[in-house]
Amino acid sequence: MKWQILTVVALRSIAKNRLRSLLTMLGIIIGVGSVIALLALGQGSQKDIAADIDALGTNLIIIMPDSTATGGVRGGAGTSSSLSLADVDAILADCPAVRYVSPEIRLSEQIIAGNRNWNSAVRGVSPTFRQIRNYRLANGAFFSDREVQSKAKVALLGATVAEELFPGQDPVGARIRIRNVPFTVIGVLAAKGQTGMGADQDDLLLIPSTTALYRLSDGKTVRGLLASAVSADQIDTAKTQITAALRRAHRLRDGQPDDFSLRDQTEIGTMASQVTTTLTLLLSAIAGVSLLVGGIGVMNIMLVSVTERTREIGIRLAVGARSGDILVQFLIEAVILCLCGGIIGALSGLGIAYSLGHIMGSSVVLSPLVILLSVGFTLAVGVFFGFYPARKAAGLNPIEALRYE
């Protein structure tokens, strides 16, 4: 019963100074809101990154040529021409942990169809590229090994390219030109949409690897290989086998460094998640400073309140209230201020997170446990920063408090 009475008294005191109470809560609201919004967007970004990594392909391993070195000056990764089509056969023959391998000849070309044209990424690949990268067909068919061997001039369009060159039409069977080489469209890839970083996965055109290499490129430069491990737990084994197979194929002696590099989905996802996590923690720490400032603001206002209500405290002590009652009353006031600020801040943070997520096209993920912990932390802030003012109020001498003007 005593707690109920003290809570009612505390609520009346807060309601008597509504504006000051709101300003007192403002620091808590900003702090909690910022933390909730940043964590929700940060966890959403990690979810988007994981989805993007999964969209790259099934148990994907990316094999890139090493850098060139001229006169002691090294180029970037992938600038050498150490990979070839023969490496595909070497990997398939010597790597039982690898299910599929495809070369990837990467070009950026202007594609012409009638009176329309579009600049897009052209990829020379093998038929297994479809399984490695999880591409589905919306229409038509994928090219076969026979068409790769014959350097056939056939192409599959991504959804974006198909819409730009053949708006509202079925492009299967149509003719297009890349440079001066004519191609026949044999299929359209199902739309994959954008990645979390905004890259359009449908803005591409696929042609046989041999066609890209010998009709549009220099006949020798393979920019990379894509491999798919038999299963997720075989990725490390597959990487070891690929390394051994390529070192044999490239006749590298013991002690010579690899002239290629390997990356897998786990490494890519880990690096991306580490960056996102670091930024989220950094921004959350900054937002936590707002929460600390808010707690100091609560303590300051409570000290002012104690000074203003000195005579009231003296009267209550004179008519029989105990020091413990005064202590609890002021603690309740501080906790209520922080709790209300925490609840309003959590709701505001969620609103901000969903609004920004909608604008940026990003996912928003936040567990209820994080919200409860954030609000619970504000209770701790209320007790911590409210204790000193409450103890000061409880320690007043009744006679001196009654004399206070």
Side-chain angles (χ1 to χ4, degrees):
M1 189 69 177
K2 181 190 296 184
W3 284 90
Q4 294 176 351
I5 295 173
L6 291 175
T7 302
V8 170
V9 173
L11 287 172
R12 286 176 179 171
S13 176
I14 292 171
K16 190 183 299 182
N17 299 283
R18 294 184 181 87
L19 181 59
R20 187 169 70 182
S21 299
L22 180 60
L23 293 175
T24 303
M25 292 187 292
L26 194 57
I28 302 294
I29 294 172
I30 293 173
V32 174
S34 300
V35 171
I36 293 292
L38 290 170
L39 287 176
L41 290 171
Q43 292 179 7
S45 297
Q46 291 181 351
K47 178 184 176 183
D48 290 339
I49 289 170
D52 291 342
I53 299 303
D54 290 340
L56 287 176
T58 304
N59 306 322
L60 181 67
I61 300 171
I62 302 171
I63 308 160
M64 297 291 293
D66 202 2
S67 62
T68 57
T70 305
V73 179
R74 300 188 66 194
T79 54
S80 73
S81 55
S82 59
L83 299 178
S84 66
L85 293 181
D87 291 330
V88 174
D89 296 328
I91 292 172
L92 289 174
D94 298 334
C95 303
V98 176
R99 176 170 292 169
Y100 303 113
V101 185
S102 171
E104 190 178 34
I105 293 89
R106 297 191 290 273
L107 304 164
S108 179
E109 299 289 345
Q110 202 72 22
I111 305 164
I112 301 169
N115 62 351
R116 301 180 71 88
N117 65 89
W118 182 253
N119 188 281
S120 184
V122 176
R123 299 287 183 260
V125 298
S126 70
T128 54
F129 179 84
R130 178 183 176 186
Q131 287 85 4
I132 295 171
R133 288 292 311 275
N134 289 333
Y135 271 104
R136 295 179 294 106
L137 286 168
N139 198 8
F142 217 91
F143 46 78
S144 64
D145 289 325
R146 179 177 297 179
E147 288 168 314
V148 172
Q149 294 168 3
S150 65
K151 305 179 186 65
K153 292 177 284 188
V154 295
L156 289 98
L157 307 183
T160 299
V161 178
E163 182 60 29
E164 292 294 337
L165 297 179
F166 303 96
Q169 303 175 43
D170 181 6
V172 175
R175 304 276 284 185
I176 61 173
R177 280 188 299 120
I178 303 175
R179 300 181 190 172
N180 290 321
V181 181
F183 285 82
T184 300
V185 178
I186 61 171
V188 178
L189 299 170
K192 270 197 170 188
Q194 291 187 337
T195 67
M197 303 300 290
D200 188 354
Q201 299 181 89
D202 303 314
D203 192 1
L204 85 165
L205 181 144
L206 303 182
I207 60 177
S209 56
T210 51
T211 308
L213 191 61
Y214 296 108
R215 296 188 187 275
L216 299 178
S217 189
D218 58 8
K220 58 181 181 181
T221 304
V222 175
R223 295 296 183 187
L225 305 177
L226 300 177
S228 177
V230 172
S231 61
D233 58 0
Q234 290 287 300
I235 289 178
D236 289 337
T237 303
K239 289 172 67 176
T240 301
Q241 294 174 357
I242 290 170
T243 299
L246 290 180
R247 287 187 64 85
R248 285 193 297 270
H250 297 178
R251 293 183 171 85
L252 297 176
R253 295 187 299 273
D254 291 342
Q256 280 188 285
D258 296 337
D259 58 357
F260 56 88
S261 61
L262 305 182
R263 292 286 184 272
D264 62 62
Q265 289 168 301
T266 304
E267 292 177 352
I268 298 170
T270 300
M271 287 188 292
S273 295
Q274 284 175 347
V275 172
T276 305
T277 301
T278 301
L279 287 175
T280 301
L281 290 175
L282 177 61
L283 293 173
S284 296
I286 295 172
V289 173
S290 298
L291 196 57
L292 178 63
V293 172
I296 294 172
V298 170
M299 182 170 64
N300 184 48
I301 294 300
M302 292 303 297
L303 286 171
V304 172
S305 179
V306 170
T307 302
E308 289 180 344
R309 295 158 62 188
T310 300
R311 284 182 61 82
E312 173 195 330
I313 295 169
I315 293 171
R316 293 191 61 199
L317 290 171
V319 297
R322 295 180 299 177
S323 297
D325 298 331
I326 304 298
L327 176 69
V328 170
Q329 178 191 337
F330 277 86
L331 269 180
I332 290 175
E333 288 185 26
V335 168
I336 289 175
L337 285 172
C338 290
L339 180 60
C340 291
I343 294 172
I344 296 171
L347 295 175
S348 301
L350 285 173
I352 292 170
Y354 280 105
S355 299
L356 291 176
H358 178 73
I359 293 171
M360 297 185 300
S362 173
S363 299
V364 177
V365 178
L366 191 66
S367 67
L369 179 61
V370 173
I371 299 175
L372 291 175
L373 287 175
S374 298
V375 175
F377 183 70
T378 62
L379 290 175
V381 169
V383 173
F384 181 80
F385 287 101
F387 182 76
Y388 176 71
R391 190 178 67 174
K392 184 178 179 180
L396 288 175
N397 185 292
I399 298 174
E400 292 180 0
L402 288 170
R403 290 175 177 173
Y404 185 83
E405 293 295 337

